[in-house]
Amino acid sequence: MNVTLLTVLVGVIALLTAASLVGFVLEIRARKPEAVATVRNLNQRIGSWWVMVIVFGGALALGHATTIVLFALLSFMALRAFWTLTPSRRGDHRGLFLSLFLVLPIQYVLLDIDWYGMFAIFIPVYAFLMLPAVATLTGETADFLARSARVQWGLMLTVYAVSHAPALLMLDTGALLLSYLVIVVQLSDVFQYVWGKLIGRHRFSPNISPSKTVEGLACGGLSAIAVGTLLHRLTPFSPLQAAAVSAVIVTAGFFGGFVLSAIKRDLGAKDWGYVIEGHGGVLDRIDSLTFAAPLFFHITRYWFTS
């Protein structure tokens, strides 16, 4: 493993260890029931972050192919969770089957063989034309537009968008860029949650995400941008460029989670499943990547690689 990447992973593990110890002490010292509940929620989140670090760190250590397989599995689980909560009719089943067992594998195979041109257009062109065409063969027209949009939207979010994270491996120092993206995105979520609990007073959008506050978003976003700026040596960016790119990642990551929260509210669901204790399903864990990964990949590829 790259020495710089190993150093970063050790640093993240050290921070998580410190956070775990602080959480343990806070839980012991908490007295009021609401304080105990808040600390336990935080400790559950820290536990889920441990899982993320171990999984991503292990995949990166094992190499390019293992990382791609990991993200393919995450996309599979996220897409399945999306459709589990999203209403569908019998006429949608062919499209759902093709999305899971044909489109998804092809997208990640294209990534593995570094065929960027086809990787970039396969889902938004070929899959988007194929899936509604297949759906018409059933002859079922009720809610056809809405049903086709749900199939396409789920595929775009959970497969096309998420696959842009491991697509960073196509670029020079791709493993470091992927680590940078995941660290900034995840820390942005962490900081927004912590600052929101500490000083949050004004709800940002109670109808979509009752727990998010204006103070948490502002202070959490600035904290994540500061970390992204300090980690500029992992990237081809200067400190100023790293600050700007981190701001894009943080903003896109926020809206990724926010949009998926709006979809959950529309479906009457709290989480996208229950795979990770205290943090919902896989899609709840990677929702920020759905918007952040494509933007970060294309900014980096276009402006900072030859």
Side-chain angles (χ1 to χ4, degrees):
M1 182 188 291
N2 183 290
V3 175
T4 306
L5 180 56
L6 181 60
T7 303
V8 171
L9 287 174
V10 170
V12 171
I13 289 172
L15 286 174
L16 278 177
T17 302
S20 298
L21 291 173
V22 170
F24 177 71
V25 172
L26 288 175
E27 186 167 348
I28 291 176
R29 298 186 63 179
R31 293 290 182 266
K32 296 181 179 180
E34 59 271 21
V36 173
T38 298
V39 174
R40 284 180 179 171
N41 192 346
L42 177 59
N43 287 340
Q44 286 179 330
R45 286 169 177 258
I46 292 171
S48 71
W49 298 327
W50 269 110
V51 172
M52 294 289 288
V53 168
I54 292 170
V55 170
F56 281 108
L60 288 171
L62 291 173
H64 181 111
T66 305
T67 305
I68 291 175
V69 170
L70 167 65
F71 276 94
L73 290 173
L74 291 175
S75 283
F76 183 92
M77 296 171 70
L79 184 56
R80 185 175 179 276
F82 185 91
W83 285 333
T84 298
L85 293 181
T86 305
S88 64
R89 300 171 67 94
R90 185 176 180 180
D92 303 326
H93 293 173
R94 291 180 184 177
L96 302 182
F97 179 85
L98 290 173
S99 296
L100 274 174
F101 299 106
L102 180 65
V103 177
L104 187 155
I106 289 176
Q107 178 73 1
Y108 280 94
V109 167
L110 293 171
L111 178 56
D112 186 49
I113 62 176
D114 290 344
W115 190 356
Y116 168 75
M118 185 58 71
F119 164 82
I121 67 171
F122 174 64
I123 287 179
V125 177
Y126 296 101
F128 266 41
L129 296 176
M130 175 188 70
L131 293 174
V134 169
T136 61
L137 299 178
T138 65
E140 192 170 348
T141 59
D143 296 321
F144 183 82
L145 179 60
R147 287 164 36 221
S148 296
R150 283 194 292 265
V151 172
Q152 293 175 325
W153 185 235
L155 192 63
M156 178 64 94
L157 282 177
T158 63
V159 181
Y160 185 73
V162 172
S163 67
H164 279 75
L168 290 163
L169 297 174
M170 292 182 181
L171 310 179
D172 295 337
T173 66
L176 291 175
L177 289 169
L178 177 56
S179 300
Y180 182 84
L181 170 66
V182 172
I183 288 171
V184 174
V185 163
Q186 292 299 312
L187 284 182
S188 178
D189 289 345
V190 174
F191 289 140
Q192 287 175 29
Y193 178 81
V194 172
W195 281 113
K197 290 297 181 183
L198 290 175
I199 63 172
R201 295 293 182 271
H202 302 90
R203 303 294 179 186
F204 182 79
S205 180
N207 291 336
I208 294 179
S209 187
S211 63
K212 291 188 183 298
T213 64
V214 174
E215 295 84 357
L217 294 177
C219 294
L222 291 173
S223 299
I225 291 170
V227 172
T229 304
L230 292 173
L231 294 177
H232 73 94
R233 292 185 181 277
L234 299 181
T235 70
F237 317 141
S238 68
L240 184 59
Q241 291 167 339
V245 172
S246 296
V248 172
I249 293 174
V250 168
T251 304
F254 162 72
F255 279 107
F258 203 55
V259 167
L260 280 163
S261 291
I263 296 173
K264 285 189 293 186
R265 299 297 173 264
D266 180 42
L267 297 174
K270 181 179 182 297
D271 294 310
W272 296 100
Y274 304 97
V275 174
I276 302 173
E277 182 183 0
H279 218 78
V282 168
L283 189 50
D284 294 288
R285 189 66 248 146
I286 63 172
D287 55 4
S288 299
L289 282 176
T290 58
F291 278 34
L295 287 176
F296 181 66
F297 172 81
H298 288 292
I299 288 172
T300 305
R301 184 180 183 275
Y302 185 80
W303 292 104
F304 297 100
T305 60
S306 55

